[in-house]
Amino acid sequence: MLVDHLGRKIEYLRISVTDRCNFKCIYCYTNQNWKWLPHEEILRFEEIEKIARVFAKLGGKRIRLTGGEPLLRRNIETLIEKLSQIPGIIDLSLTTNGFFLEELGEKLKKAGLKRINISLDTLNKEKFEKITGISAFEKVFKSIDLALDLGFDPVKINTVVIKGFNEDEILELAKLTLEKPIEVRFIEFMPIGKNSLWDEKHIITVGEIKAILERFSELIPDFSFGGGPAKIFKWKFAKGKIGLISPISEHFCHKCNRLRITTDGRLRPCLFSDNEINLKPILREGKGTLEEAFFLALKLKPAKHNLNFTLRPMRAIGG
Ligand code: SAM
Ligand code: SF4
């Protein structure tokens, strides 16, 4: 079992399958000096599967595919099919900007993907384009119902809240849960990848978000799933749930249960630290073992994060 030096049980692996993206979200698409990774630097499907199998053998249970935009990775359903068959992996999920769900959703479901997170920061068409750099609000909004129709369960919406951009829409976004059985999750803006927009002044804390939502109606805590960093609530008469994620105002490092694999095959113990272990010499030159790398990652996992900018942009870490 993977238990780190502070007794944290590690059972969740987030794998970035590409650093490419068709969006340029203002909070993510940062560090313009970061060049696209060359093809040969990117982990191949067999390599990802090997890592996932060792993770599962060591007690890992959950895997999420992310990026960049994971649906830009060609034949992603092939990888999903392989990962979904690994004994011990009980939860396989994916985070997407939703743009390609119409084309790929069915294939993903058939391949064994159980659940999905879609990022959506606004309900306003113009603002959507301002935030993401692409005019695709309708397409992305439609992908929520599509994901529900395809039977992904749960379907979660990730919303990064930034002062001056979308804090005026918190209530409207949360109200999506009145009619749809989805979980809308509000995430505090994090300083990843030298983001010139990031400033403590631009953070809306989950405390402030909660206050806005409670003015509408009392939030009832939901303890049915306590495995992740989100605190889950529900309005009494709503079909869906609301998640509040506070990496900044109330960090949850003491119960962090995850490791990350970057697109170019680095095992990253903490989102906020560029301290990584390169798995490619193990995978491609037989130098050392993946087991040793996982145990080293446990030792390197910091007790808590500092609010340092990371060298890598979010899309090359795997958010
Ligand atoms: N492209 C996919 C998407 O947008 O869902 C997956 C990758 S994206 C990096 C994963 C998640 O990270 C998204 O929900 C995004 O909103 C979040 N994210 C990116 N930059 C962030 C930041 N600076 N602070 C908080 N969340 C961030
Ligand atoms: Fe692309 Fe996702 Fe980053 Fe937006 S948040 S730029 S969609 S990787």
Side-chain angles (χ1 to χ4, degrees), residues 14-240:
R14 295 174 76 101
I15 304 175
S16 173
V17 294
T18 180
D19 61 336
R20 268 76 165 167
C21 191
N22 53 329
F23 285 19
K24 287 189 168 68
C25 302
I26 43 166
Y27 47 76
C28 171
Y29 205 88
T30 53
N31 194 350
Q32 303 308 333
N33 294 328
W34 184 270
K35 302 260 182 323
W36 294 130
L37 289 164
H39 189 68
E40 64 279 8
E41 285 293 314
I42 295 174
L43 286 186
R44 302 189 277 264
F45 284 173
E46 315 84 80
E47 293 172 329
I48 294 177
E49 187 188 348
K50 231 180 239 177
I51 295 169
R53 282 192 182 274
V54 170
F55 180 64
K57 202 179 87 189
L58 295 174
K61 291 189 169 56
R62 304 175 196 281
I63 291 181
R64 175 175 298 275
L65 299 181
T66 178
E69 175 45 45
L71 301 190
L72 274 178
R73 180 82 188 247
R74 205 136 49 97
N75 301 327
I76 184 74
E77 66 279 7
T78 312
L79 177 66
I80 289 171
E81 198 172 345
K82 285 186 167 47
L83 298 182
S84 69
Q85 288 164 10
I86 297 178
I89 298 301
I90 55 167
D91 181 28
L92 181 60
S93 58
L94 178 136
T95 304
T96 173
N97 62 29
F99 188 88
F100 298 106
L101 260 191
E102 202 176 346
E103 290 89 316
L104 294 177
E106 209 168 324
K107 274 192 196 165
L108 303 177
K109 191 74 188 25
K110 270 199 191 128
L113 188 68
K114 303 253 175 358
R115 58 193 191 91
I116 210 156
N117 286 28
I118 299 170
S119 298
L120 181 71
D121 306 307
T122 175
L123 295 170
N124 176 298
K125 212 172 134 189
E126 283 76 39
K127 209 190 284 179
F128 184 96
E129 186 168 358
K130 223 161 121 190
I131 292 176
T132 63
I134 177 165
S135 170
F137 170 73
E138 280 98 349
K139 195 167 163 68
V140 171
F141 192 67
K142 236 171 64 186
S143 75
I144 299 173
D145 283 338
L146 198 100
L148 287 169
D149 290 347
L150 284 168
F152 289 110
D153 185 20
V155 173
K156 298 185 185 179
I157 305 302
N158 286 356
T159 302
V160 180
V161 185
I162 303 180
K163 197 171 271 179
F165 282 86
N166 61 352
E167 86 271 30
D168 55 332
E169 290 193 70
I170 291 169
L171 186 56
E172 286 314 306
L173 282 156
K175 278 184 179 173
L176 291 176
T177 67
L178 296 179
E179 294 304 327
K180 296 181 196 290
I182 55 176
E183 182 181 315
V184 175
R185 298 146 57 95
F186 296 102
I187 308 168
E188 289 173 349
F189 184 22
M190 298 185 281
I192 307 286
K194 297 196 175 142
N195 190 333
S196 55
L197 180 71
W198 194 86
D199 188 305
E200 288 204 47
K201 292 199 293 275
H202 289 145
I203 295 177
I204 307 281
T205 65
V206 299
E208 294 170 279
I209 296 170
K210 195 161 176 252
I212 293 171
L213 300 176
E214 290 211 295
R215 254 177 259 142
F216 175 69
S217 177
E218 186 195 357
L219 285 175
I220 303 158
D222 179 311
F223 300 110
S224 53
F225 180 72
K231 286 191 182 137
I232 312 294
F233 300 89
K234 192 174 183 314
W235 281 318
K236 200 172 175 185
F237 40 85
K239 289 196 177 139

